[in-house]
Amino acid sequence: MGFGSGGSEALMKDFLRQVGGCAVIDGGLATELESNGADLNDPLWSAKCLISSPHLIRKVHLDYLKAGAHVIITSSYQATIQGFMSRGLSEEESEALLRRSVEVACEARDIFYKECSDGLNNHNQIKRQTILVAASVGSYGAYLADGSEYSGDYGKEMTLEKLKEFHRRRLGVLAAAGADLIAFETIPNKLEAQVYAELLEENNISTPAWFSFNSKDGVNVVSGDSLIECASIANSCKKVVAVGINCTPPRFIQGLILSMRKVTEKPILIYPNSGERYDPDKKEWVASTGVTDEDFVSYVSVWREAGACLIGGCCRTTPNTIRGICRALQKKYDAPNGSAP
Ligand SMILES: [Zn+2]
Protein backbone atom coordinates (compact mmCIF):
# COMPACT_ATOMS: atom_id res chain seq x y z
CA MET A 1 0.00 0.00 0.00
CA GLY A 2 0.92 3.62 0.05
CA PHE A 3 -0.67 6.91 0.84
CA GLY A 4 -0.92 7.68 -2.86
CA SER A 5 -1.20 11.27 -3.92
CA GLY A 6 -3.38 13.61 -1.93
CA GLY A 7 -2.23 11.95 1.32
CA SER A 8 -3.43 13.61 4.46
CA GLU A 9 -3.36 13.36 8.21
CA ALA A 10 -6.35 11.03 8.02
CA LEU A 11 -4.32 8.64 5.91
CA MET A 12 -1.48 8.62 8.44
CA LYS A 13 -3.97 7.88 11.20
CA ASP A 14 -5.43 5.10 9.07
CA PHE A 15 -1.97 3.63 8.54
CA LEU A 16 -1.31 3.71 12.28
CA ARG A 17 -4.58 1.93 12.92
CA GLN A 18 -3.70 -0.75 10.39
CA VAL A 19 -0.39 -1.47 12.09
CA GLY A 20 -1.99 -1.73 15.52
CA GLY A 21 -1.46 1.78 16.86
CA CYS A 22 2.31 2.09 16.65
CA ALA A 23 4.35 1.79 13.47
CA VAL A 24 7.94 0.60 13.43
CA ILE A 25 10.44 2.70 11.49
CA ASP A 26 13.68 1.12 10.26
CA GLY A 27 17.08 1.56 11.93
CA GLY A 28 20.24 3.38 10.82
CA LEU A 29 20.78 3.03 7.10
CA ALA A 30 24.22 4.50 6.59
CA THR A 31 25.80 2.83 9.61
CA GLU A 32 24.23 -0.49 8.59
CA LEU A 33 25.62 -0.09 5.08
CA GLU A 34 29.01 0.29 6.74
CA SER A 35 28.44 -2.90 8.73
CA ASN A 36 27.76 -4.57 5.39
CA GLY A 37 31.15 -3.50 4.12
CA ALA A 38 30.50 -0.11 2.48
CA ASP A 39 33.18 2.55 2.92
CA LEU A 40 31.24 5.76 3.54
CA ASN A 41 34.12 8.02 4.41
CA ASP A 42 33.05 10.38 1.70
CA PRO A 43 31.17 13.70 1.52
CA LEU A 44 28.27 11.84 -0.11
CA TRP A 45 28.14 9.38 2.84
CA SER A 46 25.39 6.79 2.22
CA ALA A 47 24.50 8.43 -1.11
CA LYS A 48 27.83 7.15 -2.40
CA CYS A 49 26.25 3.68 -2.52
CA LEU A 50 23.62 4.96 -4.95
CA ILE A 51 26.49 5.25 -7.42
CA SER A 52 28.64 2.31 -6.41
CA SER A 53 26.42 -0.34 -4.80
CA PRO A 54 22.64 0.10 -4.95
CA HIS A 55 22.30 -3.68 -4.39
CA LEU A 56 23.74 -3.16 -0.89
CA ILE A 57 21.16 -0.45 -0.15
CA ARG A 58 18.41 -2.80 -1.31
CA LYS A 59 19.77 -5.54 0.94
CA VAL A 60 19.80 -3.30 4.02
CA HIS A 61 16.24 -2.10 3.31
CA LEU A 62 15.19 -5.74 3.01
CA ASP A 63 16.99 -6.65 6.26
CA TYR A 64 14.98 -3.95 8.03
CA LEU A 65 11.71 -5.15 6.50
CA LYS A 66 12.47 -8.69 7.61
CA ALA A 67 13.21 -7.34 11.08
CA GLY A 68 9.68 -5.90 11.19
CA ALA A 69 9.89 -2.30 9.95
CA HIS A 70 6.72 -0.76 8.51
CA VAL A 71 8.53 2.32 7.22
CA ILE A 72 11.81 2.32 5.33
CA ILE A 73 13.73 5.54 4.74
CA THR A 74 15.57 5.97 1.45
CA SER A 75 19.29 6.54 0.97
CA SER A 76 18.83 10.14 -0.18
CA TYR A 77 19.75 11.69 3.20
CA GLN A 78 23.03 13.09 1.90
CA ALA A 79 22.13 12.82 -1.81
CA THR A 80 21.91 16.26 -3.36
CA ILE A 81 22.07 17.53 -6.91
CA GLN A 82 24.83 19.93 -5.81
CA GLY A 83 26.82 17.09 -4.18
CA PHE A 84 26.55 14.78 -7.18
CA MET A 85 27.41 17.56 -9.64
CA SER A 86 30.54 18.40 -7.69
CA ARG A 87 31.57 14.82 -8.52
CA GLY A 88 31.25 15.51 -12.22
CA LEU A 89 27.77 14.09 -12.74
CA SER A 90 25.36 16.02 -14.93
CA GLU A 91 22.18 17.55 -13.55
CA GLU A 92 20.11 14.83 -15.24
CA GLU A 93 22.29 12.06 -13.81
CA SER A 94 22.09 13.63 -10.36
CA GLU A 95 18.31 13.82 -10.48
CA ALA A 96 18.15 10.24 -11.72
CA LEU A 97 20.16 9.13 -8.68
CA LEU A 98 17.69 10.85 -6.37
CA ARG A 99 14.87 8.96 -8.06
CA ARG A 100 16.94 5.78 -7.87
CA SER A 101 17.00 6.01 -4.06
CA VAL A 102 13.20 5.70 -4.06
CA GLU A 103 13.23 2.93 -6.68
CA VAL A 104 15.71 0.85 -4.69
CA ALA A 105 13.52 1.07 -1.58
CA CYS A 106 10.42 0.17 -3.62
CA GLU A 107 12.29 -2.80 -5.08
CA ALA A 108 13.13 -4.03 -1.58
CA ARG A 109 9.47 -3.67 -0.60
CA ASP A 110 8.38 -5.65 -3.70
CA ILE A 111 10.87 -8.42 -2.90
CA PHE A 112 9.61 -8.52 0.67
CA TYR A 113 5.94 -8.72 -0.35
CA LYS A 114 6.81 -11.48 -2.83
CA GLU A 115 8.70 -13.43 -0.16
CA CYS A 116 5.75 -13.03 2.19
CA SER A 117 3.28 -14.31 -0.36
CA ASP A 118 5.61 -17.20 -1.17
CA GLY A 119 5.64 -18.07 2.53
CA LEU A 120 9.36 -17.34 2.89
CA ASN A 121 8.97 -14.87 5.72
CA ASN A 122 7.26 -16.29 8.73
CA HIS A 123 5.55 -14.50 11.63
CA ASN A 124 2.89 -11.87 11.39
CA GLN A 125 4.49 -9.95 8.58
CA ILE A 126 2.72 -12.27 6.16
CA LYS A 127 -0.49 -10.49 6.94
CA ARG A 128 1.00 -7.09 6.40
CA GLN A 129 0.81 -5.20 3.18
CA THR A 130 1.36 -1.89 4.88
CA ILE A 131 4.87 -0.74 4.20
CA LEU A 132 5.66 2.88 3.51
CA VAL A 133 8.68 4.19 1.66
CA ALA A 134 9.81 7.55 3.07
CA ALA A 135 12.08 9.66 0.86
CA SER A 136 14.80 11.11 3.05
CA VAL A 137 15.72 14.77 2.88
CA GLY A 138 18.79 15.51 4.95
CA SER A 139 19.56 19.05 6.07
CA TYR A 140 21.88 21.55 4.41
CA GLY A 141 24.32 20.69 7.20
CA ALA A 142 24.33 17.07 6.01
CA TYR A 143 25.26 18.22 2.50
CA LEU A 144 28.13 20.24 3.97
CA ALA A 145 29.39 16.95 5.44
CA ASP A 146 31.18 18.74 8.26
CA GLY A 147 28.93 17.65 11.11
CA SER A 148 26.92 20.87 11.04
CA GLU A 149 23.64 18.97 11.16
CA TYR A 150 24.68 18.50 14.80
CA SER A 151 25.40 22.20 15.39
CA GLY A 152 22.72 23.78 13.20
CA ASP A 153 25.08 26.69 12.69
CA TYR A 154 24.99 27.73 9.04
CA GLY A 155 26.78 31.03 9.57
CA LYS A 156 25.52 34.60 9.51
CA GLU A 157 25.34 34.73 5.73
CA MET A 158 22.64 32.06 5.51
CA THR A 159 19.13 33.26 4.80
CA LEU A 160 15.71 31.70 4.38
CA GLU A 161 15.80 32.40 0.63
CA LYS A 162 19.27 30.89 0.12
CA LEU A 163 18.28 27.77 2.00
CA LYS A 164 15.07 27.48 0.02
CA GLU A 165 17.06 27.76 -3.18
CA PHE A 166 19.34 24.96 -1.97
CA HIS A 167 16.46 22.58 -1.24
CA ARG A 168 13.85 23.46 -3.88
CA ARG A 169 14.78 21.30 -6.87
CA ARG A 170 15.83 18.23 -4.90
CA LEU A 171 12.60 18.29 -2.93
CA GLY A 172 10.63 18.56 -6.18
CA VAL A 173 12.44 15.57 -7.69
CA LEU A 174 12.00 13.41 -4.58
CA ALA A 175 8.36 14.39 -4.17
CA ALA A 176 7.66 13.22 -7.72
CA ALA A 177 9.62 9.98 -7.37
CA GLY A 178 6.76 7.86 -6.04
CA ALA A 179 7.54 7.67 -2.31
CA ASP A 180 4.65 7.52 0.17
CA LEU A 181 6.17 10.14 2.44
CA ILE A 182 8.93 12.71 2.58
CA ALA A 183 11.07 12.35 5.69
CA PHE A 184 12.78 15.61 6.59
CA GLU A 185 15.37 14.22 8.94
CA THR A 186 17.79 15.57 11.53
CA ILE A 187 16.48 19.16 11.20
CA PRO A 188 18.94 21.16 13.29
CA ASN A 189 17.36 24.61 13.45
CA LYS A 190 14.20 26.66 13.11
CA LEU A 191 15.25 28.32 9.85
CA GLU A 192 15.41 24.98 8.04
CA ALA A 193 12.02 23.91 9.44
CA GLN A 194 10.57 27.17 8.10
CA VAL A 195 12.21 26.55 4.71
CA TYR A 196 10.68 23.07 4.43
CA ALA A 197 7.21 24.25 5.47
CA GLU A 198 7.27 27.08 2.92
CA LEU A 199 8.57 24.88 0.11
CA LEU A 200 5.89 22.26 0.76
CA GLU A 201 3.20 24.93 0.51
CA GLU A 202 4.63 27.00 -2.34
CA ASN A 203 5.26 24.01 -4.56
CA ASN A 204 1.98 22.44 -3.54
CA ILE A 205 3.68 19.15 -2.84
CA SER A 206 1.10 16.40 -2.52
CA THR A 207 3.32 13.75 -0.91
CA PRO A 208 2.79 13.99 2.86
CA ALA A 209 5.82 14.77 4.99
CA TRP A 210 7.20 14.28 8.46
CA PHE A 211 9.51 16.71 10.24
CA SER A 212 12.11 15.20 12.51
CA PHE A 213 14.44 17.33 14.64
CA ASN A 214 17.55 16.43 16.61
CA SER A 215 18.66 17.51 20.04
CA LYS A 216 21.84 17.20 22.06
CA ASP A 217 20.64 18.63 25.36
CA GLY A 218 17.21 17.03 25.68
CA VAL A 219 15.51 20.43 25.66
CA ASN A 220 16.18 22.34 22.46
CA VAL A 221 17.11 21.36 18.92
CA VAL A 222 20.86 21.12 18.33
CA SER A 223 21.26 24.77 17.25
CA GLY A 224 19.78 25.92 20.57
CA ASP A 225 16.52 26.99 18.87
CA SER A 226 13.43 26.11 20.87
CA LEU A 227 11.99 22.68 20.09
CA ILE A 228 8.56 24.03 20.95
CA GLU A 229 8.91 26.70 18.26
CA CYS A 230 10.25 24.19 15.74
CA ALA A 231 7.45 21.71 16.44
CA SER A 232 4.92 24.56 16.17
CA ILE A 233 6.13 25.30 12.64
CA ALA A 234 5.60 21.63 11.75
CA ASN A 235 2.21 21.71 13.44
CA SER A 236 1.05 24.69 11.38
CA CYS A 237 1.95 23.07 8.07
CA LYS A 238 -0.99 21.13 6.62
CA LYS A 239 1.31 18.87 4.60
CA VAL A 240 3.02 17.56 7.73
CA VAL A 241 1.50 14.31 9.00
CA ALA A 242 3.90 13.55 11.87
CA VAL A 243 6.47 15.41 13.95
CA GLY A 244 9.37 14.05 15.93
CA ILE A 245 12.97 13.50 16.81
CA ASN A 246 15.76 11.40 15.32
CA CYS A 247 19.49 10.81 15.76
CA THR A 248 19.33 11.86 19.41
CA PRO A 249 20.39 9.81 22.46
CA PRO A 250 17.65 7.57 23.90
CA ARG A 251 17.88 9.16 27.34
CA PHE A 252 16.53 12.48 26.04
CA ILE A 253 13.58 11.14 24.10
CA GLN A 254 10.84 10.92 26.72
CA GLY A 255 11.20 14.58 27.72
CA LEU A 256 11.33 15.70 24.11
CA ILE A 257 8.11 13.81 23.30
CA LEU A 258 6.37 15.47 26.23
CA SER A 259 7.48 18.94 25.08
CA MET A 260 6.30 18.37 21.51
CA ARG A 261 2.95 17.20 22.76
CA LYS A 262 2.38 20.63 24.26
CA VAL A 263 2.18 22.12 20.78
CA THR A 264 0.93 19.40 18.47
CA GLU A 265 -1.64 16.67 18.26
CA LYS A 266 -0.08 15.25 15.13
CA PRO A 267 1.35 11.74 15.50
CA ILE A 268 4.79 11.78 17.13
CA LEU A 269 7.66 9.83 15.63
CA ILE A 270 10.99 9.05 17.20
CA TYR A 271 14.02 7.18 16.00
CA PRO A 272 16.87 7.79 18.40
CA ASN A 273 20.46 6.84 17.68
CA SER A 274 22.31 4.32 19.83
CA GLY A 275 23.40 7.09 22.17
CA GLU A 276 26.95 7.04 20.87
CA ARG A 277 28.61 10.36 20.18
CA TYR A 278 29.77 11.28 16.68
CA ASP A 279 33.21 12.82 16.44
CA PRO A 280 33.03 15.05 13.34
CA ASP A 281 36.81 15.54 13.21
CA LYS A 282 37.66 11.86 13.26
CA LYS A 283 34.45 11.08 11.33
CA GLU A 284 33.63 8.20 13.61
CA TRP A 285 31.23 7.22 16.39
CA VAL A 286 32.66 7.01 19.91
CA ALA A 287 31.49 3.51 20.80
CA SER A 288 31.89 3.68 24.58
CA THR A 289 29.25 6.40 24.86
CA GLY A 290 26.25 4.35 23.69
CA VAL A 291 23.61 2.02 25.10
CA THR A 292 23.12 -1.67 24.34
CA ASP A 293 20.22 -2.90 22.21
CA GLU A 294 18.70 -4.24 25.39
CA ASP A 295 18.77 -0.83 27.07
CA PHE A 296 17.47 0.86 23.92
CA VAL A 297 14.54 -1.52 23.76
CA SER A 298 13.76 -1.09 27.44
CA TYR A 299 12.80 2.51 26.66
CA VAL A 300 10.16 1.52 24.11
CA SER A 301 7.23 1.29 26.53
CA VAL A 302 8.22 4.63 28.09
CA TRP A 303 8.28 6.30 24.66
CA ARG A 304 4.99 4.70 23.74
CA GLU A 305 3.37 5.87 26.96
CA ALA A 306 4.74 9.37 26.47
CA GLY A 307 2.87 9.42 23.15
CA ALA A 308 5.14 8.22 20.33
CA CYS A 309 3.34 6.25 17.64
CA LEU A 310 6.11 5.70 15.13
CA ILE A 311 9.26 4.23 16.71
CA GLY A 312 12.52 3.17 15.09
CA GLY A 313 16.25 3.73 15.33
CA CYS A 314 18.82 6.05 13.75
CA CYS A 315 22.61 5.86 13.50
CA ARG A 316 24.29 2.74 14.91
CA THR A 317 21.01 0.94 15.51
CA THR A 318 20.61 -2.28 13.51
CA PRO A 319 18.02 -4.83 12.35
CA ASN A 320 18.49 -6.40 15.76
CA THR A 321 17.36 -3.17 17.44
CA ILE A 322 14.29 -3.15 15.19
CA ARG A 323 13.47 -6.76 16.08
CA GLY A 324 13.68 -5.75 19.74
CA ILE A 325 11.34 -2.78 19.21
CA CYS A 326 8.80 -5.07 17.51
CA ARG A 327 9.00 -7.56 20.37
CA ALA A 328 8.58 -4.83 22.96
CA LEU A 329 5.50 -3.44 21.21
CA GLN A 330 4.07 -6.92 20.79
CA LYS A 331 4.58 -7.68 24.47
CA LYS A 332 2.63 -4.60 25.35
CA TYR A 333 -0.30 -5.66 23.21
CA ASP A 334 -0.15 -9.21 24.57
CA ALA A 335 -0.12 -8.03 28.20
CA PRO A 336 -3.21 -9.12 30.22
CA ASN A 337 -4.27 -5.52 30.81
CA GLY A 338 -3.21 -4.76 27.28
CA SER A 339 -2.77 -1.05 27.01
CA ALA A 340 -3.00 -1.02 23.26
CA PRO A 341 -4.72 2.10 22.06
ZN1 LIG B 1 21.36 9.24 12.59
Side-chain angles (χ1 to χ4, degrees):
M1 74 156 259
F3 284 162
S5 57
S8 68
E9 292 186 24
L11 286 168
M12 173 51 103
K13 294 207 167 120
D14 223 42
F15 165 69
L16 291 173
R17 243 192 319 274
Q18 282 181 48
V19 298
C22 184
V24 178
I25 306 174
D26 63 6
L29 177 70
T31 50
E32 189 59 17
L33 284 166
E34 285 180 316
S35 303
N36 277 267
D39 174 8
L40 302 187
N41 191 0
D42 186 287
L44 292 177
W45 203 39
S46 51
K48 182 186 158 195
C49 291
L50 278 169
I51 304 174
S52 60
S53 43
H55 62 281
L56 211 56
I57 301 175
R58 194 165 45 234
K59 178 197 180 282
V60 172
H61 285 320
L62 193 54
D63 288 346
Y64 278 124
L65 291 173
K66 289 181 180 172
H70 304 101
V71 186
I72 49 174
I73 306 174
T74 66
S75 51
S76 46
Y77 178 78
Q78 210 140 308
T80 59
I81 299 169
Q82 297 87 333
F84 287 135
M85 286 181 73
S86 71
R87 287 302 178 80
L89 276 80
S90 69
E91 197 171 341
E92 292 70 31
E93 287 166 334
S94 305
E95 292 183 4
L97 281 174
L98 287 175
R99 286 190 287 272
R100 187 79 189 110
S101 69
V102 175
E103 281 162 18
V104 170
C106 291
E107 285 164 15
R109 173 170 64 181
D110 289 346
I111 296 170
F112 181 70
Y113 283 160
K114 173 89 174 51
E115 289 186 1
C116 289
S117 64
D118 290 349
L120 294 175
N121 287 315
N122 46 18
H123 53 95
N124 61 4
Q125 284 159 338
I126 300 166
K127 287 182 248 146
R128 285 212 328 247
Q129 295 282 306
T130 43
I131 288 157
L132 299 181
V133 167
S136 169
V137 174
S139 65
Y140 173 68
Y143 155 75
L144 294 177
D146 60 358
S148 55
E149 77 259 53
Y150 297 103
S151 74
D153 181 0
Y154 294 164
K156 285 198 230 31
E157 305 294 301
M158 185 46 84
T159 63
L160 184 89
E161 280 313 315
K162 280 189 199 164
L163 207 49
K164 269 165 111 170
E165 205 38 52
F166 171 79
H167 281 294
R168 186 173 285 111
R169 179 72 195 145
R170 173 202 196 197
L171 176 58
V173 173
L174 282 170
D180 302 301
L181 271 171
I182 298 167
F184 293 101
E185 303 189 85
T186 329
I187 309 172
N189 58 38
K190 197 171 140 186
L191 183 69
E192 206 149 26
Q194 192 65 43
V195 161
Y196 293 148
E198 291 188 17
L199 285 177
L200 287 171
E201 296 290 356
E202 284 168 16
N203 298 297
N204 202 16
I205 290 188
S206 60
T207 313
W210 82 39
F211 277 20
S212 180
F213 300 92
N214 59 337
S215 171
K216 56 188 177 194
D217 63 2
V219 179
N220 295 310
V221 301
V222 291
S223 62
D225 289 344
S226 147
L227 173 64
I228 302 273
E229 289 175 23
C230 289
S232 301
I233 293 172
N235 186 56
S236 310
C237 180
K238 285 195 294 294
K239 318 264 172 182
V240 173
V241 295
V243 188
I245 299 285
N246 75 292
C247 218
T248 293
R251 66 182 186 281
F252 293 147
I253 299 295
Q254 182 189 19
L256 295 168
I257 296 173
L258 296 174
S259 323
M260 288 185 291
R261 281 189 56 193
K262 290 186 193 143
V263 290
T264 189
E265 288 186 356
K266 295 192 193 220
I268 291 191
L269 66 105
I270 51 125
Y271 51 114
N273 57 28
S274 63
E276 289 156 273
R277 193 169 52 76
Y278 185 71
D279 182 332
D281 299 323
K282 290 195 191 143
K283 294 201 184 304
E284 61 188 35
W285 293 88
V286 186
S288 58
T289 53
V291 299
T292 61
D293 268 347
E294 219 169 54
D295 288 344
F296 187 102
V297 167
S298 69
Y299 282 106
V300 168
S301 58
V302 177
W303 296 334
R304 186 79 187 97
E305 260 147 49
C309 47
L310 295 106
I311 301 180
C314 204
C315 296
R316 304 277 281 179
T317 65
T318 69
N320 209 30
T321 322
I322 300 310
R323 270 187 290 276
I325 294 173
C326 292
R327 269 197 302 272
L329 289 171
Q330 199 57 46
K331 226 184 258 164
K332 194 171 161 64
Y333 297 133
D334 291 347
N337 300 322
S339 30

